Amino acid sequence: MRQLLKCLALFFLTAGSFCLHAQSAKPRLVEYLPNYKGLAWSSYASSINFTKMTHMNLAFGNPPKCSGVCTAASDMTFSIKGQTDADVDAAITAAHAAGVKVVLSIGGGGGDQLILQFYNAGLSQQLTDSLDRYVQAHKIDGIDVDIEDPSNMGAPFLTFVNTLVAKFRPQGKLITAAVAQYLQGSMPSAALHQFDFINVMVYSSLAASNTALQYYLNECHVPKDQIVLGVPFFGSTAGDDKEEDYKTIFGAYPNAWRVDLAGGGLLDDGKAFHYASEETMKQETLLGRQYGGIMVWEMMGDAPAPHSLLSVILNNL
């Protein structure tokens, strides 16, 4: 009998250890759904490939710009520009049906001014209460903080993050962030370590991706499985003065999937675009798999089969 109990104990210990390992080893696949492509999400929802996707980030939800100085009486109602409530709900319903968590990304390049105008005015609580009403109305699973203005990421930013955590974490909602090395010197460490995981924006090369992941692991001391590598479904010029979707680049240069640089043709007067080829995307996916997974900016930028970058990710994640 004693031997049987010992065997059972060993079995459950081993099984439990396996389950924990299996759960922690599963990489995330976070994909951003943008609002600026002129396409209603209700129409697009049925074409989304949810295979292996774990999180769909709606980009971006923001309040209006204040008329003059922001006060507690200012309009803080959140919305996603260009999408109706029905459009938003259609995308969320499709994601939830596939078992995917839906996260509202707030701020964004330029849009971050609509967030920081309130927290810089000491209105973090009021803004968070308004955000909570939007989250509850649309059954959203979490918030992704995307502030990309290093001059506005000090103590008021920390207060805002703390307020978000106090409001949403007891509800079981996720609090994540889009981060980058060039921003990190301005973000309080106490804010960085509040997030459930971070999406690292590094879209230039495999070497830069490795450097950024090592930075967050070794210098910022973020747990490895909480660091998600961002990869691009777009290309940019050397001076970052122009961007094009990967599908647009591929349409202009049919062999673009082979290399990381294309140009000299009719697209944008022959400008050369740097992007991730299929082989580079494979290597970046394998790198992200060693950490917390892969984040895609953004899902509408992919090329069609047989040269879909998402297919490369799915085959290697």
Side-chain angles (χ1 to χ4, degrees), residues 63-311:
K65 181 176 175 55
C66 294
S67 178
V69 177
C70 295
T71 70
S74 299
D75 185 1
M76 303 183 198
T77 305
F78 276 78
S79 65
I80 297 175
K81 187 177 180 180
Q83 304 295 329
T84 67
D85 284 344
D87 293 327
V88 173
D89 289 338
I92 293 172
T93 298
H96 283 166
V100 173
K101 290 187 179 297
V102 178
V103 177
L104 179 66
S105 187
I106 60 174
D112 49 10
Q113 302 301 310
L114 300 173
I115 299 296
L116 63 86
Q117 65 177 340
F118 288 106
Y119 69 61
N120 280 342
L123 298 169
S124 287
Q125 188 61 62
Q126 294 90 332
L127 184 63
T128 299
D129 290 342
S130 177
L131 178 57
D132 183 45
R133 289 190 287 274
Y134 190 85
V135 166
Q136 299 303 329
H138 294 283
K139 299 180 175 62
I140 292 170
D141 302 304
I143 301 300
D144 178 61
V145 181
D146 188 353
I147 303 297
E148 301 180 30
D149 184 347
S151 63
N152 285 280
M153 298 182 69
F157 175 83
L158 174 59
T159 298
F160 179 57
V161 171
N162 287 340
T163 306
L164 291 175
V165 170
K167 172 66 74 172
F168 291 111
R169 189 149 289 153
Q171 301 178 25
K173 306 292 186 184
L174 288 167
I175 311 290
T176 69
V179 302
Q181 277 187 267
Y182 79 93
L183 296 170
Q184 214 52 58
S186 303
M187 181 191 292
S189 179
L192 177 66
H193 290 279
Q194 289 270 40
F195 301 118
D196 292 294
F197 62 86
I198 56 173
N199 298 302
V200 181
M201 298 182 290
V202 48
Y203 304 128
S204 54
S205 68
L206 178 61
S209 296
N210 187 56
T211 297
L213 297 182
Q214 290 288 323
Y215 168 78
Y216 280 100
L217 178 66
N218 297 322
E219 297 188 37
C220 298
H221 307 293
V222 178
K224 194 171 189 179
D225 64 355
Q226 294 177 16
I227 306 171
V228 177
L229 173 62
V231 298
F233 280 9
F234 69 93
S236 58
T237 57
D240 289 327
D241 60 320
K242 183 71 176 179
E243 290 184 359
E244 291 286 2
D245 286 343
Y246 175 69
K247 66 181 176 184
T248 301
I249 297 170
F250 178 76
Y253 304 103
N255 289 320
W257 62 276
R258 297 177 180 271
V259 292
D260 295 329
L261 178 68
L266 297 178
L267 179 64
D268 295 323
D269 298 322
K271 289 184 177 180
F273 288 89
H274 296 265
Y275 54 92
S277 64
E278 290 187 20
E279 179 58 30
T280 297
M281 188 61 68
K282 174 183 177 180
Q283 295 305 318
E284 291 189 344
T285 302
L286 294 174
L287 176 61
R289 195 173 73 179
Q290 299 174 41
Y291 287 79
I294 291 292
M295 173 271 281
V296 171
W297 178 265
E298 42 77 14
M299 63 171 68
M300 290 186 183
D302 197 15
H307 293 295
S308 159
L309 294 177
L310 179 59
S311 294

Side-chain angles (χ1 to χ4, degrees), residues 10-29:
L10 179 62
F11 169 78
F12 286 117
L13 180 62
T14 304
S17 174
F18 172 76
C19 290
L20 286 172
H21 175 74
Q23 184 177 17
S24 63
K26 181 180 179 181
R28 300 175 187 87
L29 178 54

